[in-house]
Amino acid sequence: MTDTFRAILVSKTDDGQKVEFVRLTEADLMEGNVTIDVAHSSVNYKDGLAITGKGPIIRRWPLIPGIDLAGTVRTSSHPQWKPGDKVVLGGWGVGEGHYGGFSEVARVNGDWLVPLPAGFSTADAMAVGVAGYTAMLCVMALEEQGVQPAQGEVLVTGAAGGVGSTAVAILSKLGFTVVAATGRPEEEAFLKGLGAASIIDRKELQGPVKPLAKARWAGVVDTVGSVMLANAISQVLPEGTVAATGLAGGMDLPTTVAPFILRGVKLVGVNSVTTPQPRRIACWQRIARDLDRSKLEALTTHVKLDDVPRVAADIVAGKTRGRVVVDVRG
Ligand code: NDP
């Protein structure tokens, strides 16, 4: 009998899309030179948009969503990987144009894989996932522009979310004074537990945007975009840097050139999807060093594959906290 495995499949319908749990065989998978027994995946904001249909993430129908996964190589014709290797994958269009991680088995291009970092389980790696790894890329972007703890406070927006909470934990471990902007004041204890020095209500960053406001931030990690990003930019100290990576609040950016030409503010875009492999590996090494594992655990919730459609709706509604790991075989 052919082995079957379980997956979530999103298909187009006349009036939108449908999400169903299906049983597939390896023959149903897309092309690739490495087949992986997936152990864990995670729910990222993009997965929420893909499963609810609230954003144009899916580029191929039908699709198995899930933009990240970690597991064990089953078969490989790629020179770098052999059966039994533990691997991690995030980005490269997986869960967007190529079948993704919400499946017990995945077949992918071996060039997209990195080795599971030493000391990490597959669940740990997905607690980091695309969101956590993007948070680290944002921190690296600030450092590369010369932002240092002695220069002043660093702002993290969308702080109770996946990218935001991980950024709070990493920045505080590195000695930064982190101010966490959140719409959920009830998460103050959670955010302070991760290392935030103080909390501000996100409403403070949602008013009318001035070209220049009172300067406060040496650096910013922004996961929200739109008015919040524009207000954050107008409050950056001279020569400070903003790492912009998200659009949870909108894709527009209603700013002016004033902060850039009068304060030398730098706006750095962070894209995790096509990060070259050497930088990915360097990023995972930094995560192993600079993300406190007890904090990673504190910001992570564990769910099963059955729970993914519910969590997808919650993440788009801004109701999930920190990171959500999916035990794909649980
Ligand atoms: P989460 O949903 O976990 O976090 C987003 C947070 O943003 C929420 O928790 C909430 O934080 C805040 N937020 C949500 N809606 C709004 C709103 N309407 N206005 C203001 N704030 C809001 O998502 P992730 O952390 O997984 O992703 C965050 C963003 O980063 C997403 O846009 C995602 O697509 C993007 N991203 C981009 C990547 C890239 O490569 N460029 C990679 C990974 C993520 P709070 O409740 O604390 O206010």
Side-chain angles (χ1 to χ4, degrees), residues 45 130 134 158-163 182-184 202 206 223-224 228 245-249 270-272 315:
Y45 191 82
V130 167
T134 303
V163 178
T182 182
R184 291 179 275 179
R202 75 184 189 203
Q206 288 177 320
T223 71
V224 174
M228 274 180 78
T245 200
L247 44 56
V270 174
N271 165 30
S272 68
I315 198 167

Side-chain angles (χ1 to χ4, degrees), residues 43-47 49 57 67 130-135 137 156-165 180-187 191 202 206 222-225 228 244-250 269-275 314-323:
V43 183
N44 293 272
Y45 191 82
K46 238 183 203 176
D47 301 316
L49 293 177
I57 300 299
I67 64 168
V130 167
Y133 145 80
T134 303
L137 288 176
V156 176
T157 64
V163 178
S165 59
T182 182
R184 291 179 275 179
E186 66 275 18
E187 298 299 355
L191 290 164
R202 75 184 189 203
Q206 288 177 320
D222 178 69
T223 71
V224 174
M228 274 180 78
T245 200
L247 44 56
V270 174
N271 165 30
S272 68
V273 177
T274 50
T275 310
D314 283 350
I315 198 167
V316 173
K319 289 188 192 155
T320 57
R321 176 171 99 171
R323 297 278 301 131

